[in-house]
Amino acid sequence: MSDRMTDVIPTDGRTLGRCICIITGASKGFGRALAHQVCCWLKPGSVLLLVARSETLLQELKEELKGFAVEQQLLVNCIVADLSTQKGVNEAVRVARLESEKENDHVLLINNAASLGDISQFSSFTDLDVVNSYMSLNISSALVLTAGMLQVFPRRPGLRWTVVNLSSVFATEALPSWVLYCTAKAARKMMFSVLAVGEPNVRVLSYSPGPLDTGMQKDILRMTGVDNHPFPCKDSAVKLMKLLLDDDFASGTHIDFFSV
């Protein structure tokens, strides 16, 4: 099934507004599918910032979006950055700041970048550097990036803010040998819940996208032998767009694909 935006041209008049949308982990998988879906719901003059480590894959995605972006008067920029580093986070914030003077009425930050990590017995994780490296990308960078973006786009009349945390059922369920993944997802869920109660002007959603047809599921099958029967990224991206457009979720809530 195609992830292309031409499959979902809106007909009901709803939009995400004149928006600056930042998607991390945008070069492949769910992030790439989201880029195609988001484009359909942005008003002319909106800005789409695509963040990932691979310049080649980002440029390929930008080319895929080019026709629609020109037609809808959207600006699409690629940010090549490793978000596990301070330098990478700073670069993403720097590029966003360049767009902060534009007359946007909505900031949408989708924290999608993440990794699976090692799946091993609890007692095997004795290397602090290995654990810290994993947590840096999967927890710390999302916190620092979100905080930086909040500073770039401070509260003002007429500006709405939405933050999406790509989560998992394992943010709330423990699974043997998945200590890194479960810990990171649980920490992120709480982290963004704190944002929701601390910043009432920011709409916060933790969204569990379900098992997706991505490299991560292939790694899970290889490492565990478990086939989760993944489905196309587009299916879940469409459901996330529905949640954002309906905008009737309680800020800070955790919603699973299968409940939408």
Side-chain angles (χ1 to χ4, degrees):
M1 187 179 295
S2 171
D3 289 336
R4 301 302 175 85
M5 81 288 284
T6 50
D7 292 337
V8 288
I9 297 297
T11 59
D12 61 3
R14 294 183 300 169
T15 75
L16 293 170
R18 186 180 171 99
C19 180
I20 178 163
C21 175
I22 305 106
I23 303 176
T24 69
S27 63
K28 56 187 178 181
F30 190 61
R32 196 180 189 98
L34 277 175
H36 281 282
Q37 299 300 315
V38 165
C39 273
C40 299
W41 306 98
L42 300 176
K43 281 188 174 181
S46 294
V47 178
L48 180 60
L49 300 182
L50 306 171
V51 187
R53 290 178 295 179
S54 172
E55 182 175 8
T56 299
L57 292 177
L58 283 176
Q59 290 298 331
E60 289 176 358
L61 174 57
K62 184 176 181 179
E63 187 64 25
E64 291 172 7
L65 301 173
K66 183 176 179 180
F68 194 82
V70 170
E71 179 183 341
Q72 293 298 110
Q73 303 173 50
L74 309 177
L75 177 64
V76 179
N77 281 336
C78 299
I79 305 174
V80 181
D82 180 354
L83 295 180
S84 68
T85 68
Q86 185 69 58
K87 180 180 178 181
V89 173
N90 289 348
E91 176 62 10
V93 172
R94 182 191 70 80
V95 176
R97 184 174 285 112
L98 296 176
E99 307 297 336
S100 63
E101 298 302 317
K102 295 185 177 178
E103 295 182 2
N104 295 302
D105 57 29
H106 187 194
V107 179
L108 171 59
L109 172 59
I110 302 179
N111 285 294
N112 172 66
S115 63
L116 176 62
D118 192 15
I119 300 175
S120 298
Q121 288 187 342
F122 195 103
S123 60
S124 69
F125 293 98
T126 57
D127 189 323
L128 188 60
D129 289 339
V130 170
V131 174
N132 284 342
S133 176
Y134 181 84
M135 299 304 173
S136 178
L137 171 62
N138 289 277
I139 303 174
S140 304
S141 72
L143 169 58
V144 176
L145 179 67
T146 303
M149 294 298 180
L150 287 168
Q151 290 187 10
V152 169
F153 302 97
R155 182 187 307 187
R156 62 169 171 79
L159 178 67
R160 61 184 176 121
W161 245 105
T162 307
V163 174
V164 177
N165 166 42
L166 263 294
S167 188
S168 167
V169 294
F170 298 123
T172 58
E173 298 177 15
L175 189 66
S177 299
W178 287 59
V179 61
L180 291 183
Y181 191 80
C182 290
T183 299
K185 292 302 183 184
R188 280 174 63 133
K189 177 180 178 294
M190 178 54 70
M191 181 170 72
F192 286 105
S193 295
V194 171
L195 174 62
V197 297
E199 299 285 347
N201 63 302
V202 179
R203 301 278 289 144
V204 180
L205 172 65
S206 285
Y207 175 68
S208 174
L212 302 176
D213 187 12
T214 65
M216 181 179 289
Q217 285 298 323
K218 293 176 182 176
D219 288 341
I220 291 171
L221 179 61
R222 174 178 54 83
M223 287 189 282
T224 69
V226 175
D227 184 353
N228 290 313
H229 305 290
F231 46 84
C233 292
K234 177 191 169 183
D235 294 2
S236 190
V238 168
K239 286 197 173 186
L240 176 54
M241 288 301 101
K242 181 181 185 303
L243 287 168
L244 294 176
L245 291 163
D246 291 346
D247 196 29
D248 57 4
F249 57 86
S251 186
T253 194
H254 188 276
I255 299 179
D256 185 76
F257 168 86
F258 294 103
S259 66
V260 180

